[in-house]
Amino acid sequence: MSSVSFSKVGVVGLGTMGAGIAEVLARGELPVVGIEIDAAALERGRGHLEKSTGRAVKRGRLTEDAQREILGRVTLSTDFGDLADCDLVIEAVPERLDLKRRVFAELDRVCRPDAVLATNTSSLSVTEIAVATERPTKIVGVHFFNPAPVMKLVEVIGTVLTEDGAVGRVAGLVEALGKIPVTVGDRAGFVANRLLFGYLGQAVTMLESGHATRDDIDTAMTKGGGLPMGPFTLMDLIGLDTCLGVLDAIYEESRDRRHAPSPLLRELVTAGLLGRKTGRGFYDYAGAEAAIPHQAGPVPSVAVVGDGPLPALVTDAAGDEPGAADLVVVTGDAAVPGGLKPGTIIAITGPVLERAVASDRAADVVGLRFAELDAPLAEITTTAVTADATAARAAELLAGLGLTPVRCRDRAGAIVDALRFPYLNDAAAMLGAAYADADAIDAAMKYGCGYPTGPIADLDRLGLSRAVTTLRALHTETRDPSLAPTPLLEEYATANRPLR
Ligand SMILES: NC(=O)c1ccc[n+]([C@@H]2O[C@H](COP(=O)([O-])OP(=O)(O)OC[C@H]3O[C@@H](n4cnc5c(N)ncnc54)[C@H](O)[C@@H]3O)[C@@H](O)[C@H]2O)c1
């Protein structure tokens, strides 16, 4: 730790985050002063530290001697005066601006004049906290992710008031602690939460509008969007009260309706249904609820009409004449063929409604989309003329081919693209505004949110012209200005070159 320019670090608030941050610092061989509000809270803080390091010992990742040394480096106190000789203090008290401003005023009073003071806020303005002190040049944000000892990303935030050097010194410490620092300016939600919560908020609105069910949205984003968990599972894990607070704070700055918390989210929070921690949120964790898997029937007979791209699971099964098939997949510009037997389901991969209405079998037609040709997801879209039983039958037939079916209304982007392209557009907008560079944006989503790839890399993989086409369709349908492709995407798509 010789390259580290801090010799003693204070942590204020030893709750979920503060205890984790204190552990990270002590593991990095720094002496730490942990401050809590009263003796009982201090004991809880000690408990967090002992439990977390104890778990590491049990798993064989830490020896008992090393645990003793780590805990020995942390001095616990309820007296802010014990922070007097720290050259960095990290605040991790609850997310309330008035409280944080009070704590910073007190830190300003007790700490050395040259000490850097950092806040772990997720969504409050670092600048508003900085101006509560007499040393705004020495105030930074240092946003660890939960659980701090595990998560690699730390966003380091400088305001317009922060002096040159303070951000770099903190980023240097973060790196020496084995984490990945991403240095950004003071915008609500920084990089990771700003991008993540736009998507989560939009998922709730999608559910509330009746476009698709909770389970189908979660399934679509894991099986087709490649995410480790769906948006509702993730929000239940984060806590719906936290989600509401973060969305409110981001909306306050962005005025983007996708950040305005959906009434459904507010309703759940008011009802005390906060997610896993209360046993119920979007899901009920009492054990009564079990996902009902789609019933995969026998392998159906399939005919393909047209030459559009299809997953191997469909093309391998194809070969029957349309007149004899259970499922007719219509791709490219092809029309729905005539002479189909009764009960045949027709699935169209392009624009659906006009071809459905032009056929004599409109009630038997669904749309079919594949977000990724090599992913197992099949998105079934239904129009105003699709018969109720048709989508269920289509799901059964597609499950018979080994695909995971989900259903939604026939709208631009179905589920996966309707949720991922606005998120990718937001990332491109950050790049276009020079808020963060491509590496920082990708690192934030990979190491802060567990995404398998970052959004800039995703855009290049999916293709910018596909992004622009999908976003234009979403914009035309909703007239939501934030869904129009950002100028940077338009420009690079026109120039036919990737973002990197
Ligand atoms: N929990 C997360 O997932 C997460 C992730 C990243 C950032 N954050 C941010 O970290 C901060 C802390 O969140 P948390 O989840 O650890 O909260 P928490 O409620 O678990 O812990 C807060 C701690 O601060 C203590 N405290 C309250 N007032 C105090 C005071 N005046 N002086 C000293 N200690 C005081 C409380 O006793 C409590 O132990 C918030 O700003 C939050 O937005 C949280």
Side-chain angles (χ1 to χ4, degrees):
M1 295 291 287
S2 54
S3 63
V4 170
S5 62
F6 297 104
S7 55
K8 189 170 186 182
V9 184
V11 178
V12 180
L14 297 173
T16 309
M17 293 309 295
I21 294 167
E23 179 183 332
V24 171
L25 292 162
R27 278 174 180 256
E29 298 184 6
L30 278 162
V32 180
V33 180
I35 301 286
E36 258 296 352
I37 191 154
D38 56 32
L42 199 64
E43 276 320 298
R44 281 197 300 275
R46 190 194 306 279
H48 288 318
L49 278 163
E50 284 172 358
K51 204 163 141 199
S52 169
T53 49
R55 248 193 325 263
V57 170
K58 261 199 212 118
R59 289 187 184 152
R61 299 206 185 118
L62 201 66
T63 64
E64 280 186 21
D65 283 349
Q67 182 195 21
R68 234 186 329 273
E69 276 177 33
I70 289 168
L71 295 177
R73 284 190 203 109
V74 185
T75 311
L76 296 174
S77 168
T78 55
D79 181 0
F80 272 61
D82 288 340
L83 296 167
D85 59 346
C86 290
D87 44 13
L88 171 67
V89 177
I90 301 174
E91 163 278 317
V93 303
E95 187 81 334
R96 282 188 2 239
L97 185 61
D98 60 326
L99 173 63
K100 293 205 189 256
R101 284 169 63 100
R102 263 205 326 277
V103 166
F104 270 76
E106 179 66 4
L107 290 175
D108 198 20
R109 210 176 52 75
V110 301
C111 292
R112 290 169 25 177
D114 63 339
V116 173
L117 307 181
T119 174
N120 185 52
T121 182
S122 297
S123 52
L124 297 173
S125 157
V126 179
T127 314
E128 286 199 53
I129 295 169
V131 295
T133 72
E134 299 291 321
R135 63 175 95 191
T137 55
K138 299 203 177 325
I139 310 300
V140 299
V142 58
H143 185 221
F144 283 82
F145 287 71
N146 187 18
V150 178
M151 298 298 284
K152 285 270 176 229
L153 183 75
V154 180
E155 290 171 313
V156 181
I157 299 103
T159 75
V160 289
L161 300 166
T162 313
E163 69 189 11
D164 284 351
V167 167
R169 284 176 71 202
V170 172
L173 168 68
V174 165
E175 201 159 11
L177 294 169
K179 305 283 186 192
I180 297 170
V182 162
T183 301
V184 290
D186 189 21
R187 302 281 179 281
F190 315 126
V191 175
N193 281 347
R194 182 76 165 232
L195 294 179
L196 178 68
F197 279 88
Y199 149 72
L200 293 177
Q202 202 195 334
V204 186
T205 304
M206 186 181 260
L207 173 66
E208 187 155 24
S209 72
H211 176 69
T213 65
R214 172 201 68 183
D215 291 359
D216 279 353
I217 296 171
D218 266 3
T219 302
M221 294 318 289
T222 51
K223 300 273 187 197
L227 295 178
M229 62 179 90
F232 299 107
T233 308
L234 179 58
M235 282 184 274
D236 274 356
L237 195 64
I238 295 170
L240 303 192
D241 49 344
T242 302
C243 292
L244 180 63
V246 174
L247 279 167
D248 269 333
I250 297 177
Y251 178 75
E252 191 64 26
E253 183 184 287
S254 74
R255 301 286 160 182
D256 178 339
R257 79 162 78 136
R258 286 171 311 135
H259 298 135
S262 158
L264 173 61
L265 183 61
R266 213 175 276 285
E267 203 179 329
L268 289 166
V269 172
T270 306
L273 306 176
L274 306 183
R276 273 186 184 274
K277 61 186 170 188
T278 60
R280 193 174 148 197
F282 286 107
Y283 289 88
D284 190 345
Y285 298 90
E289 210 178 7
I292 304 160
H294 282 281
Q295 293 301 319
V299 179
S301 65
V302 180
V304 172
V305 183
D307 55 5
L310 288 168
L313 284 172
V314 178
T315 50
D316 288 354
D320 289 302
E321 284 306 312
D326 302 321
L327 176 67
V328 175
V329 179
V330 179
T331 69
D333 298 327
V336 175
L340 304 180
K341 63 177 186 177
T344 293
I345 299 293
I346 303 138
I348 302 180
T349 60
V352 184
L353 192 54
E354 282 178 13
R355 275 185 281 181
V357 177
S359 77
D360 55 358
R361 296 284 294 269
D364 302 326
V365 174
V366 291
L368 180 60
R369 296 186 196 230
F370 301 99
E372 309 271 347
L373 284 179
D374 56 359
L377 182 77
E379 292 173 291
I380 300 166
T381 69
T382 56
T383 73
V385 290
T386 310
D388 285 347
T390 300
R393 177 72 181 137
E396 206 180 325
L397 295 170
L398 290 160
L401 293 178
L403 289 156
T404 302
V406 293
R407 292 187 237 169
C408 65
R409 312 262 297 281
D410 186 42
R411 297 287 181 271
I415 299 173
V416 176
D417 283 0
L419 286 177
R420 74 177 160 185
F421 280 108
Y423 147 77
L424 296 174
N425 198 35
D426 287 347
M430 269 183 187
L431 197 59
Y435 176 59
D437 65 22
D439 287 345
I441 294 170
D442 280 357
M445 297 316 290
K446 275 168 72 177
Y447 303 112
C449 303
Y451 274 53
T453 47
I456 305 300
D458 265 343
L459 275 167
D460 283 341
R461 181 180 64 81
L462 292 165
L464 303 191
S465 56
R466 175 173 170 190
V468 167
T469 307
T470 308
L471 286 160
R472 281 191 191 145
L474 285 164
H475 178 244
T476 304
E477 199 172 84
T478 60
R479 303 298 158 114
D480 181 341
S482 75
L483 297 182
T486 194
L488 186 84
L489 271 188
E490 296 263 19
E491 182 188 350
Y492 277 63
T494 306
N496 197 21
R497 59 152 291 185
L499 290 169
R500 275 183 207 270

